[in-house]
Amino acid sequence: MSERNTAIRSLHDLGLAAWFGGSLMGAIGLNGAARDEGGTEATGDRISSAGWAKWAPVNAAAIGAHLFGGGGLLAVNAHRVATQQGVAASTTAKTVVTAVALAATAYARVLGKKVELASSTDPADVEKAAKHPIDLDKARRQLATAQWAVPALTGCLVVLNALHGEQQRPVEQMPGMWERARSATHLMA
């Protein structure tokens, strides 16, 4: 019951911390600074886009570490998911929120690339943007929403992670497993 999984737990937690913290800092700090210091909307877009582009590989590594660690934790705790009451439900919730956070992150990146292309001063980008015109105001609004959704969703994952930690306490494990076993025998009877 009290097996140690420090390496995979660390990958899971550090990856989530970077994903949450980086997205929150970007939504508040980077976007706010670009808006305040850019002078024009287009310049602000370019500053913000440059910052998000530099963060993207680190964010991808953080997400990968989180997913790898999460998969490892699921594997080593499969018995708890199957037998301890409440763990399957919280694991399912965490999986769904993770999937939505991944989708929001990918959507924000796609929108960010569109805004980046539309606000570029590079002649090649200007030509590409002319071939694929977008409603820049609409894209900016959608991007802002997506960029705020990511820290909201990853913040939910932090809370669900805390719940999993509480469920792993010995005082929670035995009654939870007992209740699950008792419920299963009632269903068979």
Side-chain angles (χ1 to χ4, degrees):
M1 257 191 242
S2 60
E3 197 175 304
R4 296 183 83 145
N5 307 108
T6 305
I8 59 172
R9 188 175 304 280
S10 295
L11 285 171
H12 174 270
D13 292 354
L14 288 171
L16 179 56
W19 190 10
F20 169 74
S23 64
L24 184 61
M25 194 291 291
I28 296 170
L30 176 58
N31 290 349
R35 186 177 47 253
D36 293 348
E37 300 299 322
T40 66
E41 278 188 311
T43 303
D45 288 343
R46 284 192 298 276
I47 293 168
S48 184
S49 293
W52 283 105
K54 289 201 179 292
W55 173 245
V58 176
N59 196 39
I63 292 168
H66 173 68
L67 295 175
F68 184 81
L73 287 173
L74 183 58
V76 300
N77 288 295
H79 66 284
R80 286 186 48 247
V81 174
T83 60
Q84 184 180 344
Q85 187 174 26
V87 177
S90 62
T91 300
T92 300
K94 193 171 173 185
T95 302
V96 169
V97 174
T98 299
V100 175
L102 286 167
T105 300
Y107 185 58
R109 187 67 183 131
V110 167
L111 288 169
K113 292 299 284 178
K114 287 180 179 184
V115 170
E116 179 182 342
L117 189 64
S119 63
S120 178
T121 58
D122 180 281
D125 288 345
V126 171
E127 187 177 322
K128 285 181 196 173
K131 290 179 184 175
H132 305 285
I134 64 164
D135 181 341
L136 190 54
D137 288 333
K138 181 179 176 183
R140 285 180 181 133
R141 285 190 307 275
Q142 291 173 330
L143 177 58
T145 300
Q147 286 175 332
W148 276 104
V150 175
L153 291 162
T154 53
C156 288
L157 290 174
V158 170
V159 172
L160 287 167
N161 195 39
L163 173 62
H164 272 183
E166 290 297 314
Q167 289 174 329
Q168 201 162 9
R169 295 172 55 191
V171 71
E172 293 285 327
Q173 286 186 36
M174 288 310 293
M177 289 179 186
W178 175 254
E179 184 59 35
R180 176 74 86 140
R182 192 173 71 81
S183 296
T185 58
H186 280 33
L187 291 174
M188 291 180 178

